Amino acid sequence: MVFFQLVTAANGAAVVRCRLQHSEGAPRRMLHSGNIGVCDIREAAVRERAASTAGNRPLFYFRFGVDQALPPERRAPVTPSSSSRYHRRRSSGSRDERYRSDVHTEAVQAALAKHKERKMAVPMPSKRRSLVVQTSMDAYTPPDTSSGSEDEGSVQGDSQGTPTSSQGSINMEHWISQAIHGSTTSTTSSSSTQSGGSGAAHRLADVMAQTHIENHSAPPDVTTYTSEHSIQVERPQGSTTSRTAPKYGNAELMETGDGVPVSSRVSAKIQQLVNTLKRPKRPPLREFFVDDFEELLEVQQPDPNQPKPEGAQMLAMRGEQLGVVTNWPPSLEAALQRWGTISPKAPCLTTMDTNGKPLYILTYGKLWTRSMKVAYNILHKLGTKQEPMVRPGDRVALVFPNNDPAASMVAFYGCLLAEVVPVPIEVPLTRKDAGSQQIGFLLGSCGVTVALTSDACHKGLPKSPTGEIPQFKGWPKLLWFVTESKHLSKPPRDWFPHIKDANNDTAYIEYKTCKDGSVLGVTVTRIALLTHCQALTQACGYTEAETIVNVLDFKKDVGLWHGILTSVMNMMHVISIPYSLMKVNPLSWIQKVCQYKAKVACVKSRDMHWALVAHRDQRDINLSSLRMLIVADGANPWSISSCDAFLNVFQSKGLRQEVICPCASSPEALTVAIRRPTDDSNQPPGRGVLSMHGLTYGVIRVDSEEKLSVLTVQDVGLVMPGAIMCSVKPDGIPQLCRTDEIGELCVCAIATGTSYYGLSGMTKNTFEVFPVMSSGAPVSEYPFVRTGLLGFVGPGGLVFVVGKMDGLMVVSGRRHNADDIVATALAVEPMKFVYRGSLNISPSLVTFQAIDSIHQVGVYCLALVPANTLPKTPLGGIHLSETKQLFLEGSLHPCNVLMCPHTCVTNLPKPRQKQPEIGPASVMVGNLVSGKRIAQASGRDLGQIEDNDQARKFLFLSEVLQWRAQTTPDHVLYTLLNCRGTIANSLTCVQLHKRAEKIAVMLMERGRLQDGDHVALVYPPGIDLIAAFYGCLYAGCVPITVRPPHPQNIATTLPTVKMIVEVSRSACLMTTQLICKLLRSREAAAAVDVRAWPPILDTDDLPKKRPAQIYKPSNPDTLAYLDFSVSTTGMLAGVKMSHAATSAFCRSIKLQCELYPSREVAICLDPYCGLGFVLWCLCSVYSGHQSILIPPSELETNPALWLLAVSQYKVRDTFCSYSVMELCTKGLGSQTESLKARGLDLSRVRTCVVVAEERPRIALTQSFSKLFKDLGLHPRAVSTSFGCRVNLAICLQGTSGPDPTTVYVDMRALRHDRVRLVERGSPHSLPLMESGKILPGVRIIIANPETKGPLGDSHLGEIWVHSAHNASGYFTIYGDESLQSDHFNSRLSFGDTQTVWARTGYLGFLRRTELTDANGERHDALYVVGALDEAMELRGMRYHPIDIETSVIRAHKSVTECAVFTWTNLLVVVVELDGSEQEALDLVPLVTNVVLEEHYLVVGVVVVVDIGVIPINSRGEKQRMHLRDGFLADQLDPIYVAYNM
């Protein structure tokens, strides 16, 4: 069974939720051989046609393999060729053939013929180790996307010679219920109607003179923004319109944009002007950068070829008079009493075992006595005499298995006699049975407290250890009461049930499952029950003692009405065939008809189909006794082919054509119509060949049988005796339809349901409908009941049904019937191609093409699941709502998935139009931009801060260290902890000074370096690194810190080391002895050319002497060190830090964090670049505080190391990275109690700062705060910092000042580079946390990245920074001067054009808050949104990867990490799966859905990988470009790759 997303080919704004109904039949379909487009995904992406927004997608599930419970399919009608073909095929014999129909297959072949010679250019979904298909984009020409399929002319040309037959399958449910009244387009069909005799002009339909009705949709019109209900614009059509307009004078009539007739002698200029006026207007610019944003969804243009109903208004159709026969009983119980006493030996019901042998014969005498016994026991033996459990009018559940109709029938009549209301339901097999919970809700709402059941069933119910039946999920508490005679007390001789004439009391409640899975109870009164039996008796011509074979479910619907109720009224003998017997022997019902010479049989199309499949020329079959074969689902689109094929085969066995009687029914209206059995074999049954295109618009157009896209429907007979029928528009007020219009059938009769139990609102809408004529007058004073069936009343009062309201899907304004789409899908191929456990996908592509071609509707998702794994209904159908639920929660576990969102989703928001910039003159007034304060802010002014900072006297850090070594030689500056939390090493001021001196000597003597030479420091995080850094300063060299290669991963980490050494032009490389060996190892030689290393100095062996003098730079602006870092986009960038900038940086941090020699600071960061390096190596020397150093790598073995150190040393300030915080959150989540017991206390922590170069990760910081709140961590202590390449720290929370604030912005506005503040929890809201307070000496302004003009408060732009500790430029061997000056020396284009700013490359905004800073002024908060070079420009809008990734991680519990990037205009989503590999395919539709619904983007490729594949750098940032390179080089070893087409 299938789950699809549907959309029309042309320009559908499709938001569809389709649940495919009725998996009980595999329909046959007439195909339309148009242009079926299979497009390369890259082209698809380039065209990316627009997206259905949130959640309304139809999807399809397919099930493969042999499964007895699977449906029949539609067969060809009887033609000599198809008949012989059928016999040929049948004799070949396997059961898998049941999905085939030759007409279908040939039609599909015709539709797909064009694609034979076309090269398949679609990258296939691939399992692990597949190669990514990479083909040049020029190899394909995108299929024409301007319209859904080719013009009908060419289609007719293709399809002329295709053998076809008189039926296709009805695609009605969709088509119909669109209220066509909203549109003003003309139909392209000819308006001439055939007058076929007196008054028949408007009968079945207004027959079209020409058959090119189906001109498919025009290209999408992007020139009008109209709302859904606006007047739709009509285009003058060229030769396609066959209607000629009347001439006025000698000018032809044509229409302008708003539908006003004008003369065609308009000048071309005026016409051009009219066209211009129809173009979308740009949103007005009320002020500078107004939030002019409203999502502009593409509005569906009316199809100029849309057919319109043209017939006269229909008349209500009255059935024949219900003739009351003299001996009809006054009530059903009276009938039972009569037959039970007059003819007690007459057989009532024969039940079969699974071998087809009669198991039990229930006579009318036994039925009468046992029913009385049950009635007596229900009323008198439950509860006490004073407080009986059940009183007349109460509801009682009947829980009987499908193979025990006799016990069920006794219980049903027992309830009627006791005047209690039976509610027959399915047996709950397990506590988790599909749909069982909803049935429980029905029982609860009906107030059911007692369940009647059989002995065998009672024993089979699940039991608790104490032997009690547990309460099923969602069920009320029930008393289970066994109705077998041996368990019951005999009623006293003087007790008789009170038998009244039928009245308006409720007789029984029939359950009905809606398409969303909810269960309703339809109440049927005693008078309706009796009248219905009388109407069926009259319509079917039932007589006493006839034999009837019943294959249907006796608990509800046709099976109950004929096999349990009407049969008793007429003393008939019912042969009941259980479903379990049908599964073993599908011919059993035919054998019983022969054996018992039955006059009537009640079956479904499925039963006929199975009999055909199982039939092997059995000699003893004779069906001549049958006078009526009732086809219960005769209204289904596939029943006609089952009927035709069955007749075709069994006509030679005595079956007459006029015996087959399809009927239409619904739980609400009971039997709606039934074909009467006739003796006249010359009168053929009613047939209608209807245009599918017309049906999608709810219009009846007779078509030719040669066409492929037609639907053949059979009549379901006449209106029931005593009933009135009409059809009303499915939407809005119940207005009568026209004669050529499809509507919902409504019935006015006594014999209908009366309400949904306990639901008065829904009851009023369904059971109390008053249809009105076009004049507004009601059709009748009596209410009608909506049947839920879509159809029309044709010539001669014949009723035709073309679909169900429940199966209707509206796509792009056209209505499709889910059954029809299932029919097409099942007709394509019997899909069971298995290669090594994975399904060959080619049939699926054919399915896409066939559905697209025939229905002009796109399939969003095709999920192939193993046979027999979908949830089932009790009688073998597919349980739709459960299947849908499994799909949406990712528990369906398909074995393959194909998605086509690019072609289906056609109403994505329009790409953004960039606003023209406003010139500087009109916007700048003082410090205002168009009335808004300029977005600029600054930290405290360094010059005005009075502090006793002794280090300020020195210009260079090397001098500060010498001064500290003299004044406080034994003060500990650094303490390094190992993984056990003990001190591995420490350095005092004098130890560091002496060690640095020795390293300086080594550099000068062994390395023979000059001052200004560059030295690469390749050390693990620790104290050697710090000493080597100051040794370089003492020698006048420029240090570059480099992360050492990972011993277990040399091949990927060593090239980065080599690159930094080369790019930085290092004259020498300093390291430890261990790493020295590693760099010269065999593994290293395999990764890089080890001969090209500069000289390597090993600092484990230092000289004993001191340098003659310590180098002092001549100028503070000379280079102090180089800071190299690989950005998340994969760029290696080194920045130059001068001595002056380094000292200013240290001072700024000292003031912000109030650092003094008496303080201790815990640092758990990587010490190689950015703020991490400055805190690890520089700040302690400048400020004199003690730094407790915790290498992040040690946390892998002991996640609690950092927090234990913070607690043990009573640290007030600590710094970490996001990766450290995540490690603690995940690794210690369950250990907070044991940590508390170990004395972990975080109550002294004032600031816990996450060092980052990205937008704050609110979810992580909040969960960290919540998790460790019990250990004393104050939530306000956790904050973030923000730095970048041009300035390593712009913001840092520090100790004083207001807490960081959080705002909520509209994510949709953000895509348009707008900031719109919204309330927390509002749709599309995105929380942004302030990135800490601006550091002293730092100034910030927000500028437009393109025009470089200043922006106003709360406007999104690039963050520019001016500060004494800005880096002085990039260090590169290429000398790219333009980039240098742009990033480090930018000036505003207007306003303050003198100040030199550095551009951070990050988007953000400033917002003045109500809070007060430490200096008494209002606080300006900086919010970072994301990096410009990481942002993805898609469809003219800017997306930040983190937002999409956050949505994807929330989509399924098994997704642990996610990264996104773009590839040739496609969005690629890589997800890490923490679960079994069978869950991988569940993720594909979930990921696609969530990105579509929350971000309005179509995902091009979904890659499911193992945990740890997404590369993350030391700062915890995703390396998306590395991932992209790995994907393109096919190095990810994915579990599954899905290319969404």
Side-chain angles (χ1 to χ4, degrees), residues 1-4 6 18-32 59-62 71-75 98-108 167-173 175 605 609 635-642 692 708 710-713 802-803 807 809 816-831 846-848 850-852 854-855 857 859 862 878 880:
M1 131 133 197
V2 225
F3 224 43
F4 280 22
L6 309 183
C18 130
R19 298 132 192 151
L20 287 197
Q21 307 294 18
H22 315 298
S23 37
E24 292 187 3
R28 196 188 74 61
R29 159 76 63 251
M30 290 310 198
L31 297 195
H32 162 120
L59 306 147
F60 272 151
Y61 304 108
F62 264 129
E73 45 98 0
R74 315 196 67 207
R75 294 260 176 223
R98 75 204 129 122
Y99 279 144
R100 296 184 63 103
S101 136
D102 296 298
V103 180
H104 233 124
T105 312
E106 290 180 19
V108 172
Q167 69 245 60
S169 133
I170 284 214
N171 195 7
M172 223 11 241
E173 300 190 286
W175 314 326
S605 317
H609 179 73
N636 273 352
W638 48 70
S639 69
I640 185 170
S641 64
S642 290
M692 276 205 187
L708 287 172
V710 294
L711 176 67
T712 305
V713 287
V802 293
M809 298 179 292
H816 301 269
N817 182 349
D819 288 343
D820 286 334
I821 291 165
V822 174
T824 302
L826 291 175
V828 172
E829 275 295 326
M831 301 187 204
V846 177
T847 307
F848 278 120
I851 290 173
D852 186 34
I854 293 162
H855 302 278
V857 94
V859 177
L862 176 71
I878 289 167
L880 294 166

Side-chain angles (χ1 to χ4, degrees), residues 1139-1174:
H1139 286 283
T1142 307
S1143 298
F1145 197 174
C1146 291
R1147 177 157 188 246
S1148 195
I1149 291 173
K1150 170 183 163 41
L1151 293 168
Q1152 190 81 331
C1153 299
E1154 298 176 10
L1155 300 175
Y1156 304 105
S1158 56
R1159 290 277 157 81
E1160 289 175 333
V1161 174
I1163 296 166
C1164 189
L1165 288 167
D1166 272 320
Y1168 300 108
C1169 62
L1171 185 55
F1173 164 73
V1174 173

Side-chain angles (χ1 to χ4, degrees), residues 1411-1424:
L1411 306 170
T1412 310
D1413 264 333
N1415 53 9
E1417 291 185 3
R1418 275 177 68 189
H1419 171 62
D1420 290 309
L1422 174 68
Y1423 299 94
V1424 178

Side-chain angles (χ1 to χ4, degrees), residues 309 311-317 724-747 769-780 784 786 791 793:
Q313 183 173 296
M314 76 163 293
L315 302 170
M317 185 61 62
I724 302 172
M725 180 190 284
C726 64
S727 75
V728 301
K729 303 206 169 170
D731 299 335
I733 56 168
Q735 190 178 352
L736 281 186
C737 292
R738 293 171 180 250
T739 50
D740 62 342
E741 194 173 4
I742 301 290
E744 183 176 8
L745 300 178
C746 293
V747 171
V769 178
F770 290 91
V772 294
M773 295 184 261
S774 50
S775 62
V779 172
S780 161
F784 280 68
R786 288 183 183 270
V793 180

